[in-house]
Amino acid sequence: MKKEEIAKQDLSTNDILYGPTDPLYKIDVVYDEKNHELRGNMDVRFHNNLDKTLEHIYFNLWPNAKQLEDGSIEVSNVQLNSKETDFMVQIQC
């Protein structure tokens, strides 16, 4: 079934049969009160039900509170299947 045909049907997001499915997010965060910093790890797992390898995976990261608008986020390590992999951080305003 083509994407155009799927788009014409009245399906919920859970009914769409293409793309990564069943995401599981585990986030461990510690607040450093002295330096006003959050440090943590995020583990993301999902089932890739496509018939091809995903070339890119995108994450949108931003502070989730109005008082943190002037803050920053640093990504220091990305792993794929428990092995370090290349990554790129793009900042968009």
Side-chain angles (χ1 to χ4, degrees), residues 21-69:
T21 59
D22 302 320
L24 175 64
Y25 295 86
K26 179 181 177 189
I27 302 172
D28 294 315
V29 177
V30 174
Y31 178 63
D32 178 347
E33 188 174 348
K34 180 181 177 184
N35 295 309
H36 302 287
E37 293 179 346
L38 293 172
R39 295 182 181 267
N41 299 303
M42 180 172 71
D43 181 31
V44 181
R45 296 168 190 247
F46 60 86
H47 175 73
N48 178 10
N49 63 2
L50 298 174
D51 291 333
K52 63 181 182 176
T53 300
L54 298 176
E55 296 295 325
H56 299 92
I57 300 174
Y58 297 91
F59 293 96
N60 291 317
L61 305 173
W62 59 85
N64 195 23
K66 187 173 178 89
Q67 62 269 30
L68 296 177
E69 286 179 354

Side-chain angles (χ1 to χ4, degrees), residues 79-83:
Q79 295 183 354
L80 175 63
N81 297 328
S82 301
K83 295 179 183 174

